[in-house]
Amino acid sequence: MKGVRHYPGFLGMTILCLVVLYAPLLVIMAYSFNGSTSITSWGGFSLRWYAEVFNGPESERFGQAAWNSLTIAVIAATVATAIATAAAVAMVRGGRFRGRGATFALINLPLMVPEIVTAVATLIFFSMIGLTTGYLTVLVAHVTFCIPFAYLPISARLQGIEDQYEQAARDLYATRWQAFRLILLPLLAPGVISGFLLAFIISLDDFIITNFVKGAGMETLPTAIFGSVKQGIKPNIMAISTLMLIVSILFVTLSYLINRKGRRSPQPPTPS
Amino acid sequence: MAGPLSDHTPEGSGGYRGLVGALLLPTWIAIGVFLVLPVALMAVYSVLTKEFRGGVDWQFSLAAYDQFFLNRGLFGDEPPVLEWTYIAIFLRSIWQALLATVFCLLIGFPTAWFIATRPAASRGIWLFLITIPYWVNLLIRTVSLKFLIRDNGPLNEALIGIGLIDSPLPLVNTNLAVQLGLFYSYLPFMVLPIYAAVERYNFALSEAAADLYASRWVTLREIVLPIVRPGIVAGCLLVFIPSLGAFLAPDLLGGAKTFMIGSLIDEQFKGSLGNWPFGAAVSMILMTLVMIALLVYARSAAKGEAA
């Protein structure tokens, strides 16, 4: 029955939704290939702004910022994924225990506190314990807010894995660690990878919290871009933005594909 | 999509029963020490005395809240009257966030409905298209939007080009630009929960309504909307809450007249002009508002489940 599902104009709204979401991104991608120095006129296709990103006067500053962003994202996502995996195993395989509800709320807390409030609170905390703000403080803050994002796909995946495989392994005298490493972890892998990728992007994306706790002199890509666009949107910013856009889309696509592949084969391969 | 406050995780088997404490310890430490403790400290800072180089003196004082709510005149000796400056900023932020939420709902609901009524095979692709922008850096998205709608930007050029307008629309630095920015930032948050609710909707109900001569729109209003309401409420909350404390959209797309809570807080921690206790107090008030919204939501969700 198509009739009751169809509402006139809803397709138009969907297209409008997609246009609104994508138009700004497509425009900035197109203009990053603009050969003209002026951002208002089109001067033919050119890669000069990409060359400037890597060799131009600001390349060192942005290079350092990109390095900071990348290393922080890798370390924060790795640590957050490890913490979230342990938490998911306890929450899904730990049975009923005291404080379970409170722990669930705690894991989701970073999603509920407004970002700017987290930023203020974290800055106050670091300043009070006398830790100099910089790379380390940014890293710690990133690990904290990445945990729920890593947790979601891991726990979702774990809920879909029945525990009879681990039980069978335990019955055959596997230690708990062996049952985890050889049975559960391979089954859980798509969720873990997906969680890592999401945490990675969330870390790369963050501006507000980083801006509060980074201190002077330390920059990540978003804070460097923010500092730069305060004086107007320059073409090299568009080139950097396009590169970051591509990295994000690549990672999300990867996460989506891994998750889909994982969902198609939820059962372990039959032992030969 | 389950609501952010409800735990639908089945308790499952107890294969790791004895290890729960050890497995959860890292989470408790990470979030407990680096989020719960800082928020508690922030509450303490909000009742301390301002130190002039930025920072605080450990001296109890309600000056921050006093500054927020009361006006005691230029020299502080007049009888206190209600101070409107900061309340007005909050009211404006709430208004902007509400408008952004309404825009998101008006576009997000039809989109979610349309996607949920596609064949199962293509739904994933549509959803994926909606979620991609969410994962793109928010700063880059906001900058892109500013580039698109600025006075000599592509949007105005296109509109002049097709003869719709004669002179560029001054969009940047207006309330409209901020609403557009918030709308653009959080639109996917509206679509996803509504999609999840519509996907579970039993279309036989619509067919029954049609058999009884209800028009499409009557069916939508009387049958569909009450049933998918939890999804709509969750979507509205997911747009409203981040919009309320947003910093990037008002800062980059707005001007002095569109000052919102995020910028007010940000200012208190910048350089020697800042006022840490006041910034902490404003953050506390913002967080209280958000928690009230979440509690109201949790209660209505619990009521919905019981019904």
Side-chain angles (χ1 to χ4, degrees):
Chain A
M1 274 289 287
K2 192 195 169 198
V4 296
R5 288 159 200 243
H6 177 75
Y7 279 83
F10 277 23
L11 171 63
M13 293 295 233
T14 308
I15 290 169
L16 181 65
C17 182
L18 289 175
V19 168
V20 168
L21 286 176
Y22 284 93
L25 301 179
L26 294 176
V27 164
I28 211 140
M29 279 174 129
Y31 272 81
S32 73
F33 296 107
N34 186 357
S36 159
T37 323
S38 146
I39 54 166
T40 42
S41 60
W42 180 256
F45 180 86
S46 147
L47 289 173
R48 60 185 286 198
W49 304 116
Y50 289 89
E52 186 169 318
V53 168
F54 293 104
N55 304 312
E58 286 190 302
S59 62
E60 201 173 321
R61 178 162 155 263
F62 279 113
Q64 184 60 45
W67 175 250
N68 287 339
S69 268
L70 207 65
T71 52
I72 286 172
V74 169
I75 301 171
T78 308
V79 176
T81 307
I83 294 175
T85 306
V89 169
M91 293 296 281
V92 180
R93 290 281 199 264
R96 191 187 292 269
F97 58 89
R98 260 185 67 201
R100 192 171 183 279
T103 306
F104 184 81
L106 195 71
I107 293 171
N108 284 292
L109 195 63
L111 300 178
M112 313 225 196
V113 180
E115 255 192 296
I116 189 128
V117 175
T118 307
V120 166
T122 314
L123 171 67
I124 286 175
F125 173 72
F126 284 134
S127 104
M128 206 195 112
I129 61 171
L131 206 57
T132 322
T133 46
Y135 191 92
L136 186 69
T137 51
V138 173
L139 185 62
V140 169
H142 278 224
V143 168
T144 309
F145 70 69
C146 280
I147 290 174
F149 288 95
Y151 177 84
L152 289 173
I154 298 173
S155 89
R157 171 86 189 163
L158 187 54
Q159 283 167 45
I161 303 171
E162 289 179 46
D163 73 340
Q164 62 208 30
Y165 306 111
E166 297 146 75
Q167 304 242 331
R170 292 302 302 279
D171 288 346
L172 296 167
Y173 299 102
T175 62
R176 184 136 51 181
W177 171 242
Q178 282 173 324
F180 173 76
R181 194 168 53 91
L182 298 173
I183 309 293
L184 188 58
L185 201 54
L187 287 171
L188 197 55
V192 174
I193 294 168
S194 213
F196 173 85
L197 293 176
L198 294 191
F200 180 87
I201 292 189
I202 288 293
S203 164
L204 213 56
D205 190 69
D206 181 72
F207 168 74
I208 298 176
I209 296 172
T210 310
N211 195 37
F212 265 77
V213 300
K214 75 185 175 60
M218 199 296 221
E219 300 275 11
T220 62
L221 260 185
T223 65
I225 291 174
F226 184 79
S228 184
V229 294
K230 278 282 166 188
Q231 285 109 44
I233 306 168
K234 279 172 283 176
N236 63 329
I237 294 296
M238 295 187 219
I240 294 177
S241 300
T242 306
L243 291 173
M244 280 185 83
L245 239 153
I246 291 168
V247 169
S248 299
I249 291 175
L250 219 63
F251 268 77
V252 178
T253 312
L254 209 62
S255 163
Y256 172 78
L257 291 177
I258 288 169
N259 233 341
R260 213 173 60 162
K261 191 162 160 259
R263 221 175 296 141
R264 275 206 198 130
S265 56
Q267 304 303 323
T270 38
S272 47
Chain B
M1 184 190 275
L5 277 184
S6 53
D7 173 10
H8 289 299
T9 324
E11 271 159 13
S13 62
Y16 288 82
R17 205 179 295 268
L19 288 173
V20 163
L23 288 170
L24 287 178
L25 194 63
T27 308
W28 288 333
I29 292 177
I31 298 178
V33 175
F34 298 112
L35 186 60
V36 178
L37 185 62
V39 168
L41 270 177
M42 184 179 78
V44 173
Y45 263 51
S46 74
V47 291
L48 293 179
T49 307
K50 167 188 171 187
E51 218 259 297
F52 281 94
R53 290 180 305 274
V56 286
D57 266 338
W58 282 85
Q59 194 71 228
F60 178 79
S61 152
L62 284 175
Y65 292 95
D66 193 284
Q67 182 186 344
F68 188 94
F69 288 109
L70 299 175
N71 181 354
R72 293 174 192 275
L74 198 53
F75 302 103
D77 50 2
E78 289 165 35
V81 289
L82 198 60
E83 165 70 58
W84 278 102
T85 316
Y86 305 113
I87 296 175
I89 293 174
F90 265 70
L91 290 178
R92 183 191 302 139
S93 302
I94 292 172
W95 176 241
Q96 297 273 49
L98 275 178
L99 280 178
T101 308
V102 170
F103 290 152
C104 283
L105 184 60
L106 287 180
I107 302 251
F109 183 84
T111 306
W113 179 277
F114 178 81
I115 296 175
T117 52
R118 291 309 92 198
S122 58
R123 273 181 224 160
I125 305 290
W126 283 102
L127 272 185
F128 185 56
L129 279 176
I130 295 288
T131 34
I132 284 181
Y134 168 66
W135 297 111
V136 171
N137 196 301
L138 183 60
L139 172 65
I140 289 178
R141 282 194 289 152
T142 312
V143 169
S144 310
L145 185 64
K146 184 172 186 173
F147 180 77
L148 179 66
I149 65 171
R150 72 187 201 287
D151 290 359
N152 311 317
L155 180 69
N156 272 316
E157 274 177 15
L159 288 178
I160 292 174
I162 58 172
L164 219 57
I165 51 173
D166 294 327
S167 53
L169 291 172
L171 283 171
V172 173
N173 295 349
T174 63
N175 279 326
L176 189 65
V178 176
Q179 284 146 23
L180 195 63
L182 295 174
F183 164 76
Y184 174 56
S185 303
Y186 305 117
L187 182 57
F189 286 172
M190 181 65 85
V191 177
L192 295 178
I194 297 182
Y195 163 81
V198 174
E199 202 196 17
R200 281 195 304 267
Y201 173 70
N202 182 358
F203 285 95
L205 293 172
S206 287
E207 279 157 30
D211 288 345
L212 297 168
Y213 301 102
S215 75
R216 278 203 181 91
W217 301 102
V218 171
T219 309
L220 185 70
R221 200 179 62 224
E222 301 290 330
I223 313 286
V224 176
L225 286 183
I227 292 178
V228 299
R229 207 182 69 105
I232 294 176
V233 175
C236 288
L237 212 63
L238 287 177
V239 173
F240 181 76
I241 289 180
S243 297
L244 195 59
F247 172 73
L248 284 174
D251 191 78
L252 288 173
L253 298 167
K257 280 191 198 148
T258 59
F259 205 73
M260 282 176 60
I261 302 173
S263 311
L264 177 66
I265 294 176
D266 183 67
E267 255 188 4
Q268 309 308 323
F269 294 91
K270 291 282 127 73
S272 54
L273 286 174
N275 181 341
W276 284 38
F278 185 63
V282 177
S283 302
M284 286 301 293
I285 296 168
L286 170 63
M287 196 172 70
T288 310
L289 283 180
V290 168
M291 290 300 150
I292 291 172
L294 282 172
L295 278 178
V296 168
Y297 166 72
R299 285 192 62 176
S300 84
K303 222 181 275 170
E305 262 167 41

